[in-house]
Short mmCIF file of all heavy atoms in Angstrom, two decimals:
data_model
loop_
_atom_site.label_atom_id
_atom_site.label_comp_id
_atom_site.label_asym_id
_atom_site.label_seq_id
_atom_site.Cartn_x
_atom_site.Cartn_y
_atom_site.Cartn_z
N GLU A 56 124.83 111.79 90.61
CA GLU A 56 125.95 112.38 91.35
C GLU A 56 127.10 111.38 91.54
O GLU A 56 128.26 111.71 91.34
CB GLU A 56 125.47 112.88 92.71
CG GLU A 56 126.51 113.69 93.46
CD GLU A 56 125.95 114.25 94.75
OE1 GLU A 56 124.82 114.77 94.74
OE2 GLU A 56 126.66 114.17 95.76
N THR A 57 126.77 110.14 91.91
CA THR A 57 127.81 109.13 92.16
C THR A 57 128.06 108.24 90.96
O THR A 57 128.99 107.44 90.97
CB THR A 57 127.42 108.24 93.36
OG1 THR A 57 126.22 107.52 93.04
CG2 THR A 57 127.26 109.05 94.63
N GLN A 58 127.21 108.37 89.92
CA GLN A 58 127.31 107.54 88.72
C GLN A 58 127.19 106.05 89.05
O GLN A 58 127.92 105.21 88.52
CB GLN A 58 128.61 107.82 87.95
CG GLN A 58 128.66 109.20 87.33
CD GLN A 58 127.61 109.37 86.24
OE1 GLN A 58 127.68 108.72 85.20
NE2 GLN A 58 126.63 110.22 86.47
N ARG A 59 126.26 105.74 89.97
CA ARG A 59 126.03 104.36 90.36
C ARG A 59 124.53 104.05 90.26
O ARG A 59 123.69 104.92 90.43
CB ARG A 59 126.50 104.11 91.80
CG ARG A 59 128.02 104.03 91.91
CD ARG A 59 128.46 104.08 93.36
NE ARG A 59 129.85 103.74 93.56
CZ ARG A 59 130.89 104.49 93.23
NH1 ARG A 59 130.70 105.65 92.63
NH2 ARG A 59 132.12 104.09 93.49
N HIS A 60 124.26 102.77 90.02
CA HIS A 60 122.88 102.31 89.98
C HIS A 60 122.37 102.15 91.41
O HIS A 60 123.10 101.72 92.29
CB HIS A 60 122.77 100.97 89.25
CG HIS A 60 122.94 101.12 87.78
ND1 HIS A 60 124.17 101.19 87.18
CD2 HIS A 60 122.03 101.23 86.79
CE1 HIS A 60 124.02 101.33 85.88
NE2 HIS A 60 122.73 101.36 85.62
N ARG A 61 121.12 102.50 91.62
CA ARG A 61 120.47 102.28 92.91
C ARG A 61 119.80 100.91 92.82
O ARG A 61 118.94 100.69 91.97
CB ARG A 61 119.46 103.38 93.20
CG ARG A 61 120.17 104.74 93.40
CD ARG A 61 119.23 105.91 93.63
NE ARG A 61 118.30 105.64 94.71
CZ ARG A 61 116.97 105.60 94.55
NH1 ARG A 61 116.43 105.83 93.39
NH2 ARG A 61 116.19 105.35 95.59
N VAL A 62 120.24 100.00 93.69
CA VAL A 62 119.76 98.61 93.65
C VAL A 62 119.10 98.27 94.98
O VAL A 62 119.72 98.41 96.04
CB VAL A 62 120.94 97.63 93.38
CG1 VAL A 62 120.47 96.19 93.42
CG2 VAL A 62 121.59 97.96 92.04
N GLN A 63 117.85 97.83 94.89
CA GLN A 63 117.14 97.41 96.10
C GLN A 63 117.40 95.92 96.30
O GLN A 63 117.16 95.11 95.40
CB GLN A 63 115.64 97.65 95.95
CG GLN A 63 114.86 97.31 97.19
CD GLN A 63 113.41 97.75 97.08
OE1 GLN A 63 112.85 97.77 95.99
NE2 GLN A 63 112.82 98.10 98.19
N LEU A 64 117.93 95.56 97.48
CA LEU A 64 118.22 94.17 97.78
C LEU A 64 116.92 93.39 97.92
O LEU A 64 115.94 93.88 98.49
CB LEU A 64 119.04 94.07 99.06
CG LEU A 64 120.39 94.80 99.03
CD1 LEU A 64 121.11 94.62 100.36
CD2 LEU A 64 121.26 94.33 97.89
N LEU A 65 116.94 92.15 97.38
CA LEU A 65 115.76 91.32 97.43
C LEU A 65 115.86 90.33 98.59
O LEU A 65 116.95 89.91 98.97
CB LEU A 65 115.59 90.55 96.11
CG LEU A 65 115.41 91.42 94.87
CD1 LEU A 65 115.34 90.56 93.63
CD2 LEU A 65 114.18 92.29 94.98
N ALA A 66 114.71 89.94 99.11
CA ALA A 66 114.66 88.94 100.19
C ALA A 66 115.07 87.58 99.64
O ALA A 66 114.92 87.32 98.45
CB ALA A 66 113.25 88.87 100.76
N ALA A 67 115.57 86.73 100.50
CA ALA A 67 115.93 85.37 100.10
C ALA A 67 114.67 84.66 99.64
O ALA A 67 113.63 84.74 100.26
CB ALA A 67 116.55 84.63 101.27
N SER A 68 114.76 84.00 98.50
CA SER A 68 113.63 83.25 97.98
C SER A 68 114.15 82.19 97.03
O SER A 68 115.31 82.19 96.66
CB SER A 68 112.66 84.18 97.26
OG SER A 68 113.30 84.77 96.15
N VAL A 69 113.28 81.32 96.62
CA VAL A 69 113.67 80.30 95.65
C VAL A 69 113.38 80.85 94.27
O VAL A 69 112.28 81.31 93.99
CB VAL A 69 112.91 78.99 95.89
CG1 VAL A 69 113.26 77.96 94.83
CG2 VAL A 69 113.23 78.45 97.28
N LEU A 70 114.40 80.81 93.41
CA LEU A 70 114.26 81.34 92.05
C LEU A 70 113.58 80.32 91.16
O LEU A 70 113.38 79.16 91.54
CB LEU A 70 115.65 81.69 91.50
CG LEU A 70 116.44 82.71 92.32
CD1 LEU A 70 117.82 82.89 91.74
CD2 LEU A 70 115.71 84.03 92.39
N ALA A 71 113.23 80.72 89.95
CA ALA A 71 112.52 79.86 89.01
C ALA A 71 113.29 78.58 88.71
O ALA A 71 112.69 77.55 88.45
CB ALA A 71 112.23 80.62 87.73
#
Side-chain angles (χ1 to χ4, degrees):
E56 188 176 316
T57 63
Q58 292 294 294
R59 286 168 168 72
H60 287 83
R61 293 178 53 241
V62 177
Q63 184 172 31
L64 301 180
L65 299 176
S68 63
V69 177
L70 302 176

